[in-house]
Amino acid sequence: MPSNAERDFDLNLFYDILRIRLVEGEIAKRYADQEMRCPVHLSIGQEAAAVGVCAALTRQDRMFSTHRCHAHYLAKGGNLKAMLAEIHGKASGCVGGRGGSMHLQDIPAGLMASVPIVGGSIPMAVGTALADSLDGVDTVSVACFGDAATEEGVFHESMNFAQLRKLPVLFVCENNLYSVYTPLAQRQPARPLTDYAKAHAMTAIAADGNDVFAVHAAAAAAVRRARAGAGPTLLVLDTYRWLEHCGPSFDNHIGYRSEEEYLGWRAQDPLERLRHHLTGQGALDAAAEARMTEAIMAEVDQAFDYARDEPLPAPAQAREHVYAR
């Protein structure tokens, strides 16, 4: 039987996945109200990747995300009210209402930046890892990206430099099999994405991205290597987004993926898999989950009310933060 500490840890994983699922579900539900006027790239179906990795990090560790950043932001401890205010374009948003959904940031929580340019987050994480290495601190940096970013030159340049300098950085590839509408099989030869690491003599770990325990184990091993001075690790986490590339809806009807493929991945729902595990251990029951859901939805409703009621940025501030001085 797991110890009380282990059970609490597992329940926290479940809570975090459930929270992300409910937050993004509410974003999808309310998006048609047209109060959120920025694009949204939802992580529903992919939550275990973010939660498992972040569970292996400290608050001081730095993470850099992508256009699909909500799950990373929340799993790393980002402020929900500031996130929703940002998506609503409000002055109290996490970047002042200037960036929207694709530019979330919470520096105190260690979510340093979200960059919608494909591959753009990767060299930033290498940069903070280099700074920490020079400063002699054991903080770890994490670059999150999708499978399409492995086709960008900056991915390879960053991998090469990080391995050369033995930097404390994790390259976390969330492989959801698609670059917008183009499947991986039409973009790359048939070989594991972990093979990229071989070109740079780098350690690579593949894990089931829908199994939060497998993700956490892989990330924890990579973090231990990084803190011990053993250098970077490439993590490849196979997962699948349920909704359209950009937006709140399902899009299987447009033909780039089959309903059969979608249903196969839907059956690997990371939330349901963890629920099944916890109920089997007697750590979770319907009443306990209902209490979690009630608490989360109360938080979510308050955050949406806050975002709706906050003021827009003042027009006079439009030219601020445009150029560095």
Side-chain angles (χ1 to χ4, degrees), residues 65 74 87 92 109 139 228 251 260:
S65 186
L74 293 172
I87 296 175
S92 58
T139 305
D251 67 351
E260 180 182 13

Side-chain angles (χ1 to χ4, degrees), residues 7-17 51 274 292:
R7 180 171 294 192
D8 288 346
F9 180 80
D10 294 351
L11 285 171
N12 285 335
L13 294 178
F14 182 82
Y15 187 92
D16 288 348
I17 292 176
V51 170
L274 185 53
M292 290 183 188

Side-chain angles (χ1 to χ4, degrees), residues 14 36 43 97 143 153 176 226 240 280:
F14 182 82
M36 295 173 274
S43 300
N176 68 13
Y240 198 81

